[in-house]
Amino acid sequence: MAAANLPLMPHATAAWLVDETGLTFSQIAEFCGLHILEIQAIADDTAATKLKGRDPIRAGELTKEELAKGEANPDHVLRIARLPEQARRTSGPRYTPVSKRQDKPDGILWIIKNHPEITDAQISKLIGTTKTTIAAIRDKSHWNYANLQARDPVTLGLASQRELDAMVATAAKKAGIDTSVDPEKAEAQRAALINQLQAERHAVGTIPTEALTAETLFKK
């Protein structure tokens, strides 16, 4: 599915669909452009960050009629109602609603931990904060550092996935980091993930009727 046909916040939307609807994991994964294992992790509350659900019906991305069709027929492929509007950036610092400003330090910490190649200037531009705050979080001198939790700034609504991906790609290029995917390494990681999931299911006695295989788990 093309990125342009996905909900604005795929993970948060998936969390809402898991909690509030009778859709199958496959339907949710297809609609949100995610892997079925990510949906399983959200349902099991094993995702790295507990997501706050985002209602796609209220957002105008899914109609009640389309949802009803999906719940009635597990083979029905949900169609997005309209494309999410892309945020238009203007010159000057990014404006962040007051309700989200307290989440900025968590978003900064997530970027620092997951993408150390991104510079303070880039973080400042993406999240709309000061370099002083970023530096304090980097050296752990921030006044509230002990209570910070690394959380994806996209999930927090501080930046769009497109903006974050573009910044990561730019920073990686400047740092000389190879972001190309090694097919053999990717396949090995997939096999390891399958084995881990099988072991977890065996441990709790919840192996599904259909065997977990590379073909069923990673079918595109």
Side-chain angles (χ1 to χ4, degrees):
M1 181 180 292
N5 294 323
L6 299 178
L8 184 62
M9 298 176 65
H11 290 85
T13 299
W16 188 91
L17 292 173
V18 166
D19 291 338
E20 305 294 338
T21 74
L23 298 173
T24 67
F25 287 173
S26 295
Q27 286 175 304
I28 296 174
E30 178 71 18
F31 181 71
C32 296
L34 303 175
H35 194 282
I36 192 170
L37 288 181
E38 293 181 90
I39 308 304
Q40 180 70 61
I42 291 173
D44 292 344
D45 287 341
T46 56
T49 303
K50 177 60 179 177
L51 299 173
K52 180 179 180 180
R54 178 176 185 268
D55 184 349
I57 296 176
R58 176 176 293 182
E61 297 169 353
L62 181 66
T63 64
K64 292 182 179 180
E65 292 74 19
E66 185 70 6
L67 175 59
K69 290 180 182 179
E71 291 180 315
N73 178 12
D75 294 324
H76 179 71
V77 178
L78 297 175
R79 296 181 181 278
I80 195 165
R82 64 173 175 78
L83 301 182
E85 295 182 1
Q86 296 297 323
R88 292 179 172 81
R89 294 295 304 275
T90 58
S91 59
R94 171 193 292 273
Y95 172 76
T96 304
V98 175
S99 61
K100 293 184 180 295
R101 291 178 189 176
Q102 63 183 7
D103 294 330
K104 285 186 177 184
D106 287 350
I108 294 169
L109 182 61
W110 186 93
I111 295 176
I112 291 174
K113 286 188 173 182
N114 291 277
H115 298 287
E117 71 277 9
I118 295 181
T119 66
D120 289 3
Q122 290 175 310
I123 296 175
S124 177
K125 180 179 179 181
L126 180 69
I127 299 227
T129 188
T130 66
K131 294 181 181 179
T132 300
T133 298
I134 299 170
I137 294 174
R138 279 193 186 278
D139 63 23
K140 302 181 181 181
S141 64
H142 187 273
W143 68 273
N144 195 35
Y145 187 85
N147 296 316
L148 298 185
Q149 296 180 358
R151 294 190 290 167
D152 188 339
V154 175
T155 301
L156 293 172
L158 298 173
S160 71
Q161 189 65 57
R162 177 176 296 181
E163 288 175 319
L164 179 60
D165 289 345
M167 186 159 291
V168 169
T170 299
K173 184 177 181 180
K174 289 184 178 179
I177 299 174
D178 184 7
T179 58
S180 60
V181 177
D182 184 338
E184 294 184 1
K185 183 177 180 181
E187 188 60 34
Q189 291 176 336
R190 285 186 171 187
L193 183 57
I194 292 172
N195 290 335
Q196 179 184 351
L197 188 59
Q198 287 177 325
E200 291 175 354
R201 294 294 182 269
H202 275 299
V204 297
T206 57
I207 290 292
T209 302
E210 182 181 12
L212 297 176
T213 66
E215 288 74 19
T216 58
L217 286 176
F218 297 102
K219 182 178 180 181
K220 295 182 179 180

